[in-house]
Amino acid sequence: MKNKVSRRHFLQGAAALGALAPFSSVAFERDGSRKILVFSGNQAVPVLDPHWRYDWSTRMIQQSVYDGLLKYVGTPPKIVPWLAEKYEASPDGKTYTFTLVRNAKFHNGDPVDAEAVRYSFQRGLKMNAGVAWMLKDFLKPENIVAVDSHTVKFTLDRPFAPFITYVPWWYIVNPKQVMANEVDGDLGKKWMTENDAGSGPFKLRRFDATSLIHMDTVPDYWNGWPMGDAKRLSGVIYRIIRESAPRKAALQRREVDIIAGVTPDDFGQLEKLPGVKLANFPGFTSFGIKFNCQVGPTADVNVRKAIAFAFDYDAVLAIHNGLAELMTSPFPTPITGHIAVPGIPRKDLDKAKEFLKKSAYPDGGFELEYVHVQGLEDPRRIGLSLLDSLRPLNIKVNIVAQPWPTMTARAGKPETAPNMMSVYVTPVGTDPDTVAFQYHRDSWGLYYGVSHYENPAVWKLIADARGETDEKKRLEMYAEIQRAIVADQPEIFGMMANRIWGMRDYLKDFEYSPVRSTSEVDFYPMWIDA
């Protein structure tokens, strides 16, 4: 897909964006009589394949290009029919039968049928990456059956309470396009990295993973356009501006229409700016500083405890100007089964020193690397607070900013994972499994598993809780999981920050849903009234 627009065209497009600043009366790009929405965030989209990986920027583009059987909307989040007009669950909780809509089609005109659904779920399970963790312990590829062209049946090995809550994140791909581009049995993985085989409301026009992604709307999208065809956008451009200050300046200069990563300081400035409005919502997303539990000084639980008790939690709230809430458990407060864990660390320097004395480094005298996402101001400032917090323990902190792909690549192995890494993690549903599973062995290698946390007893509890059908017993298991994780301290349990976007006031029908990742936006309902 990336070669469909010439290099010359790309440069012209970039020049057009720049030409709007600073005196343009409008921000949006135009395509004839239609407008193009320009969104800016800091994070690249290295892989478009919906079965390979996801994070906020990646899934934002994936959900624009692809559809799922069901979809999350609104707050509190609810699941609505999408490619599936309905589903039925068997009384024993093991069989789910989905009936598909009959008018859905892929961007190349092929129908979205039961075979495409079967292929997509089987492909996700076989790749065993990205979304696979959600279902692989309960669903075998051969137990997905296309009953007829519009009916798909899933038979689970055993009941799995969160099953439906995960289905919206399994996007359906066109098997004919994928198989036509297979190389050495790779399930089309290489081709799918930067090409589109979807049925979603947008189709890919240009994919430059590190700078700009351009999507066109699908005029005859099978599910129609909520704002009506006359108001429908021509498309969306995701423009990557890594640093916070130039991103904010781009909004002020009307070079972009909406920005992610608004800092609390930016909030105060932007809310006074004519023509700009802010979306500000309490978030599900937790912020933590994850320790490397396998390699280096932080492999010692007493070092981890010492750091957790030395950390200045009030500074975190101050950095966010009160637009945040401290974590009282590894689980965010709104998640079903959350408990406030007694004794969760708060700043207590005497206790911090006691733990350090129990470690192999009683006098400190070492340096730890703290890595945060390049361009995110709040994690950088939290790193500075961490540096100050650890001075009394004679522990130095080396603050390092890295691009997200570099961080996630380092997270893959304990040998390369940093001592400490700041990570935002958004539950992909309201079920406690969505949070608990990041502490399971199978999350090692993923960004939320960067701690490489090891506790076989906790792993077993997490696995058992997934299949438990007695709700009371299940919640008791999750309470035990939360207490055990806090005792092992695989991370500093930080805070839940509000989600904030800045946007021009002519942008309409922005919809928030807390199960979307950190800065992820659903472009489908949005349009420009100007």
Side-chain angles (χ1 to χ4, degrees), residues 165-203:
T165 68
Y166 289 140
V167 168
W169 304 124
W170 287 67
Y171 294 119
I172 308 307
V173 303
N174 186 338
K176 292 180 182 176
Q177 289 179 283
V178 176
M179 289 190 288
N181 289 283
E182 273 192 334
V183 177
D184 298 329
D186 72 344
L187 297 172
K189 184 177 176 181
K190 182 178 180 181
W191 184 81
M192 289 283 285
T193 296
E194 53 186 32
N195 288 280
D196 163 5
S199 64
F202 298 88
K203 57 184 177 182

Side-chain angles (χ1 to χ4, degrees), residues 272-292:
K272 300 174 185 174
L273 195 67
V276 169
K277 60 183 179 181
L278 294 161
N280 175 23
F281 299 94
F284 269 26
T285 302
S286 62
F287 172 88
I289 300 174
K290 293 184 176 284
F291 297 117
N292 184 337

Side-chain angles (χ1 to χ4, degrees), residues 5-16 206 208 211-213:
V5 181
S6 69
R7 173 66 177 168
R8 181 182 177 186
H9 190 166
F10 170 76
L11 292 173
Q12 288 173 336
R206 176 179 307 280
D208 186 330
S211 63
L212 186 145
I213 294 168

Side-chain angles (χ1 to χ4, degrees), residues 20 85 121 129 139 148 180 244 254 259 275 340 364 424 435:
L20 290 170
E85 61 183 15
F121 276 79
L139 179 63
D148 57 40
S244 173
R254 303 184 178 185
I259 61 171
Y424 291 93
V435 183

